[in-house]
Amino acid sequence: MAAVQETVDQVKAIDVDQYKYGFSTELEVDKAPLGLNEDIVRLISAKKGEPEWMLEWRLDAYRRWLTMREPTWARVTYPMIDFNDIYYYAAPKMNAAPQTLDEVDPAILETYKKLGIPLREQEILAGVQTSKVAVDAVFDSVSVVTTFKAELAKAGVIFCSISEALKEHPELVRKYLGTVVPVTDNFYATLNAAVFTDGSFVYIPKGVRCPMELSTYFRINERNTGQFERTLIIAEEGSYVSYLEGCTAPQRDENQLHAAVVELITMDDAEIKYSTVQNWYPGDKDGKGGIYNFVTKRGDCRGKNSKISWTQVETGSAITWKYPSCILRGDGSRGEFYSIAVSNGMQQVDSGTKMIHLGKNTTSRIISKGISAGRSQNTYRGQVSAHRKATNMRNFTNCDSLLIGDQCGAHTVPYMECNNATAVFEHEATTSKISEDQLFYCQQRGLNPEEATALIVNGFVKDVLQQLPMEFAVEAQKLISISLEGSVG
Amino acid sequence: MLEIRNLHVSIEDKKILNGLTLTVHDGEVAAIMGPNGSGKSTLSYVIAGKPDYEVLDGEILLDGQNVLELEAHERAAAGLFLAFQYPLEIPGVATMSFLKAAMNSQRKIRGEDEMATADFMKAVRGAADSLGIPQDMLRRGLNVGFSGGEKKRMEILQMALLAPNFCILDETDSGLDIDALKVVSEGVNALRDPKRAFLVITHYQRLLNYIVPDTVHVMAHGQVVKSGGKELALELEATGYADYKTLAA
Ligand SMILES: Nc1ncnc2c1ncn2[C@@H]1O[C@H](COP(=O)(O)OP(=O)(O)OP(=O)(O)O)[C@@H](O)[C@H]1O
Ligand SMILES: [Mg+2]
């Protein structure tokens, strides 16, 4: 396990309390006035040069949002959010939308370089990067640049920012937007519908296997700015795509809101594999600052024998409220959810999934690994339901919690709903602690306590890490160790 | 050389070791025998640096160095190895990966370079073969689902790879069938070296037919109450511990 060694080196290289991605970038920005009202919604829509129907859609969402309340059922606590004390639009100043990398502000490119994102196609092509990954980078409210577009176009794949998609492929966006996560799905999704500023759009035509990994990196830079991105991925019949999203934010004393919506749609025999490595700033060790990550992610297996697989590695954010789900509509469709959620310090995680079995012979698999350290609280919340027509549906759920220290909490809240007598549910859950004896055993063989913890944790999350594309698995492994830094000894 | 002088140890306010004194020279194999609960495992844990034990008095020197000042992993890197009476399981961590991590961590503490992967694999395979450990076990989670005897063999495999200069074997023979006992003993004997010493904790004289000790010490009530040559083990086999229990009290 060379990665273990790398993990350990990485941990050592970083100060406790030092969030590696905590720097901010000085840029000239174009910002909307503070707060939220119809004019702000209009301004966002105008900035994006959107069609009229899109503005109407947003305004409708905004008006509905005004009548809604924040959900309170999750096991998280935080002070009331003042939604009028947030900037809803911030964009690095640019003359026009950049067409090539050379038109992008070098400060932004420098930021992405610091984050280790392979934006420069030239470098990638020169073999600096071992594998090809097409990247869409979203900086605060706007997509800065999408790489490899030409090559993807050859395969018929559309991969661009959602703003661009609204201009270039409005009919596609209009057809699918809000069909998986309805405008009024929940408080944050509705807010997102009103004010989303950018995000990625992916369209894989019939029978096409996307020739490379697609990836989006989200970065919140500006102070007091909310990030509301919207991602829409459509996989037509018999197509396949693997998509990865990564997120970071500077270290700020105040909390920042991130309320994204992701919608996935698979037609007959199509497959989407969606992986997330979420590393928003988690706040300091006393719980000051950090991102509120209130995200709605849902996939709709519309076609028969289609498949949607969510893999998430959640290490950041002060609060995570996130349930990537699958609607298993097509007969024989399959949903998967693989999750590693790490919480340390004062972090609060309430995450899990919903598998809604509507079609016949649908199957789902849930593997959740929660690791809690420090004074954090980590909840797995999952729902599996078998609809009346979901004959022969099967679900397998395994959720394991690992506790490090004795001041943290792990909670498992599974809901099951069965309306079909042929449905089969399997559920396993364990809670364990890294025992002093295990640590001593490792230490007796020469590993220091930090290395020993990293090793035991790596063993614990192995089943899920294996689901990630190779290059991201290594990165995720490092992140997990860094997040647990200072939790032993 | 390991020197233990007047060692007093307690755990959770319970006194376990009561002024234990013991010296094991380089190249020596010292056996420790004694009734259940006399403090044998406690002694091995204290030497290896397990937290929670309170050393009230006394010292432990390894080649003249005070090991009580070192953390457990530093003691390991200094050449101390404990084959556990009850080896721990580490789920999800392949045995091979664990061995490599342990090996490289020790080398790093000693300021040595990492071992090349090819050399490492070769060393592991060789050691596994000689201990009758099948290759596929090296891919399984460390000790997970291993039988009692397999776990003990794995301890010896680790010992062989890490090449420590002071080895403590805590009841390595218990749980081994007769053939395994031979294999493991041969493994230990192969490691005997003028520069390497062993402390072998056992309840059975039978093991000492295979690993022939230079000295035998009897422990009772947290002290060494009698020392002698290998014939002492035979004597104990015949008489039991009754005399020693009263002797120390
Ligand atoms: N954590 C603890 N708290 C209290 N007492 C303990 C603790 N650990 C060990 N002891 C006690 O210390 C004494 C010595 O235990 P130890 O395991 O060292 O004995 P041993 O000689 O190895 O016995 P055996 O031959 O059965 O392996 C026992 O009475 C045991 O109950
Ligand atoms: Mg014992």
Side-chain angles (χ1 to χ4, degrees):
Chain A
M1 198 184 288
V4 170
Q5 201 45 52
E6 275 178 54
T7 302
V8 163
D9 293 342
Q10 187 88 5
V11 168
K12 291 224 172 106
I14 288 164
D15 280 352
V16 187
D17 264 349
Q18 193 61 60
Y19 176 70
K20 179 179 166 196
Y21 307 100
F23 59 88
S24 59
T25 310
E26 288 302 327
L27 288 171
E28 261 198 276
V29 286
D30 179 8
K31 243 185 198 176
L34 190 67
L36 183 56
N37 52 49
E38 288 204 5
D39 287 343
I40 295 287
V41 176
R42 286 176 200 283
L43 182 136
I44 291 170
S45 190
K47 285 268 181 207
K48 306 252 149 212
E50 288 176 354
E52 186 60 26
W53 63 265
M54 192 65 228
L55 172 62
E56 286 310 320
W57 197 80
R58 287 176 180 277
L59 287 172
D60 174 54
Y62 174 68
R63 288 171 198 141
R64 286 162 183 259
W65 178 74
L66 289 175
T67 69
M68 296 170 79
R69 279 178 203 283
E70 290 184 68
T72 52
W73 42 262
R75 194 186 178 102
V76 295
T77 52
Y78 53 95
M80 281 264 283
I81 299 174
D82 181 354
F83 289 94
N84 274 316
D85 195 28
I86 295 173
Y87 289 99
Y88 288 82
Y89 183 84
K93 266 212 179 103
M94 283 180 285
N95 296 331
Q99 295 305 311
T100 68
L101 280 167
D102 298 332
E103 293 171 35
V104 177
D105 189 328
I108 292 179
L109 291 181
E110 188 54 33
T111 299
Y112 283 117
K113 206 169 126 198
K114 272 198 220 169
L115 296 170
I117 300 164
L119 261 185
R120 289 248 169 220
E121 291 173 60
Q122 300 92 306
E123 281 187 13
I124 302 167
L125 293 170
V128 177
Q129 289 288 327
T130 44
S131 69
K132 274 209 275 185
V133 180
V135 181
D136 181 19
V138 177
F139 207 84
D140 288 328
S141 301
V142 293
S143 169
V144 184
V145 68
T146 310
T147 61
F148 280 116
K149 231 191 282 192
E151 193 166 334
L152 287 166
K154 257 188 258 161
V157 172
I158 303 171
F159 177 41
C160 62
S161 71
I162 197 134
S163 312
E164 196 181 330
L166 273 161
K167 289 199 188 98
E168 308 289 328
H169 313 280
E171 70 299 337
L172 278 177
V173 178
R174 194 170 188 178
K175 184 168 171 196
Y176 293 106
L177 190 73
T179 64
V180 185
V181 177
V183 168
T184 53
D185 188 80
N186 68 73
F187 183 84
Y188 298 111
T190 308
L191 176 63
N192 175 288
V195 301
F196 78 85
T197 40
D198 223 326
S200 297
F201 177 80
V202 177
Y203 179 83
I204 316 287
K206 188 170 163 178
V208 171
R209 201 180 159 84
C210 186
M212 64 187 83
E213 297 272 345
L214 302 184
S215 172
T216 300
Y217 270 85
F218 294 106
R219 171 85 178 159
I220 299 178
N221 190 55
E222 278 303 300
R223 197 175 289 275
N224 273 346
T225 306
Q227 182 152 342
F228 305 90
E229 82 269 353
R230 184 119 198 160
T231 294
L232 178 58
I233 303 179
I234 301 133
E236 292 282 13
E237 190 182 328
S239 67
Y240 168 84
V241 63
S242 167
Y243 181 93
L244 183 115
E245 123 198 305
C247 337
T248 59
Q251 204 161 337
R252 306 256 192 225
D253 285 346
E254 66 273 15
N255 297 106
Q256 283 175 287
L257 179 62
H258 172 253
V261 172
V262 175
E263 297 179 282
L264 311 182
I265 297 159
T266 47
M267 303 307 184
D268 289 358
D269 303 305
E271 178 175 350
I272 298 176
K273 192 172 158 58
Y274 193 106
S275 313
T276 304
V277 176
Q278 184 266 110
N279 184 31
W280 296 116
Y281 177 55
D284 71 6
K285 63 182 190 315
D286 300 315
K288 192 167 188 202
I291 303 290
Y292 292 163
N293 191 34
F294 300 152
V295 171
T296 305
K297 292 185 167 174
R298 196 172 303 153
D300 188 354
C301 287
R302 259 177 221 180
K304 63 175 169 44
N305 301 322
S306 63
K307 179 174 166 185
I308 288 176
S309 167
W310 299 100
T311 303
Q312 62 172 22
V313 177
E314 303 280 320
T315 60
S317 298
I319 301 178
T320 298
W321 180 98
K322 181 181 169 189
Y323 316 88
S325 303
C326 296
I327 300 167
L328 303 168
R329 196 185 305 274
D331 289 346
S333 60
R334 178 171 175 82
E336 293 176 343
F337 174 74
Y338 299 100
S339 170
I340 298 169
V342 182
S343 57
N344 197 359
M346 296 293 285
Q347 282 177 278
Q348 306 176 63
V349 178
D350 195 295
S351 184
T353 185
K354 277 195 239 178
M355 293 289 173
I356 313 293
H357 291 256
L358 301 179
K360 283 196 278 293
N361 302 316
T362 48
T363 54
S364 61
R365 183 178 163 86
I366 299 170
I367 309 279
S368 162
K369 306 277 180 181
I371 301 163
S372 342
R375 287 175 287 162
S376 68
Q377 295 293 327
N378 202 324
T379 302
Y380 167 80
R381 189 182 302 276
Q383 181 185 349
V384 182
S385 66
H387 189 262
R388 208 166 38 80
K389 291 181 184 155
T391 307
N392 294 325
M393 73 70 93
R394 291 183 79 94
N395 161 261
F396 174 78
T397 300
N398 169 281
C399 42
D400 296 329
S401 307
L402 185 69
L403 299 167
I404 302 176
D406 47 18
Q407 288 176 286
C408 51
H411 319 274
T412 303
V413 191
Y415 304 91
M416 276 178 222
E417 198 185 308
C418 184
N419 294 306
N420 185 303
T422 62
V424 179
F425 295 82
E426 273 180 85
H427 186 96
E428 294 171 358
T430 65
T431 299
S432 51
K433 238 186 113 152
I434 293 189
S435 73
E436 296 294 328
D437 287 346
Q438 273 177 323
L439 281 176
F440 172 61
Y441 184 77
C442 294
Q443 227 182 320
Q444 205 301 304
R445 299 297 136 93
L447 297 151
N448 68 37
E450 222 132 55
E451 293 169 323
T453 306
L455 188 84
I456 294 167
V457 167
N458 279 335
F460 178 73
V461 301
K462 197 183 89 197
D463 294 349
V464 174
L465 276 186
Q466 281 172 346
Q467 299 296 328
L468 284 173
M470 201 27 206
E471 53 274 50
F472 301 118
V474 175
E475 186 187 347
Q477 200 167 33
K478 284 181 195 164
L479 263 182
I480 293 166
S481 292
I482 294 166
S483 311
L484 292 172
E485 166 93 339
S487 62
V488 285
Chain B
M1 181 163 85
L2 185 81
E3 298 163 275
I4 303 173
R5 296 199 197 111
N6 188 35
L7 191 63
H8 290 263
V9 171
S10 69
I11 183 159
E12 289 168 23
D13 294 329
K14 188 178 169 197
K15 193 83 188 297
I16 313 283
L17 300 185
N18 298 293
L20 183 138
T21 296
L22 175 72
T23 300
V24 185
H25 295 95
D26 289 350
E28 182 179 334
V29 173
I32 291 200
M33 304 183 81
N36 294 130
S38 55
K40 303 181 298 295
S41 292
T42 302
L43 173 64
S44 64
Y45 286 147
V46 173
I47 298 172
K50 188 172 183 183
D52 304 335
Y53 290 94
E54 198 181 347
V55 177
L56 305 167
D57 198 7
E59 55 184 0
I60 305 176
L61 304 176
L62 180 65
D63 301 326
Q65 187 185 17
N66 180 4
V67 299
L68 293 175
E69 286 172 355
L70 303 178
E71 286 195 66
H73 58 280
E74 296 165 332
R75 297 185 199 189
L80 207 71
F81 184 92
L82 168 61
F84 282 58
Q85 183 172 359
Y86 303 107
L88 278 293
E89 301 185 356
I90 317 280
V93 178
T95 301
M96 188 65 108
S97 311
F98 179 83
L99 296 175
K100 187 149 185 254
M103 168 79 95
N104 284 331
S105 293
Q106 289 205 10
R107 293 175 78 106
K108 200 156 71 181
I109 297 173
R110 293 194 293 258
E112 299 164 10
D113 285 341
E114 282 196 5
M115 197 167 178
T117 302
D119 296 342
F120 171 78
M121 302 279 272
K122 213 168 123 196
V124 177
R125 297 230 165 88
D129 281 347
S130 66
L131 286 162
I133 295 172
Q135 297 295 324
D136 70 312
M137 256 174 74
L138 300 171
R139 286 191 291 271
R140 283 163 57 185
L142 180 67
N143 290 330
V144 178
F146 289 15
S147 75
E150 287 168 343
K151 286 182 184 171
K152 295 298 178 72
R153 276 190 233 195
M154 196 54 79
E155 293 291 282
I156 303 304
L157 170 67
Q158 295 184 47
M159 188 169 94
L161 274 177
L162 296 170
N165 47 36
F166 195 88
C167 312
I168 306 168
L169 282 73
D170 191 357
E171 294 196 28
T172 298
D173 53 333
S174 53
L176 291 182
D177 65 38
I178 300 158
D179 294 342
L181 183 67
K182 266 194 200 158
V183 172
V184 164
S185 303
E186 279 163 16
V188 173
N189 286 331
L191 292 171
R192 285 181 82 153
D193 184 291
K195 289 209 259 334
R196 182 175 286 138
F198 291 85
L199 192 62
V200 180
I201 298 170
T202 182
H203 284 296
Y204 306 106
Q205 131 74 24
R206 192 187 53 193
L207 174 71
L208 305 180
N209 289 335
Y210 296 106
I211 304 172
V212 181
D214 301 299
T215 48
V216 174
H217 305 272
V218 181
M219 231 180 118
H221 303 286
Q223 293 175 359
V224 172
V225 291
K226 182 162 185 180
S227 301
K230 61 176 185 255
E231 63 291 342
L232 182 54
L234 287 165
E235 210 177 285
L236 285 172
E237 188 98 328
T239 59
Y241 294 118
D243 293 352
Y244 301 105
K245 282 186 181 162
T246 47
L247 203 95

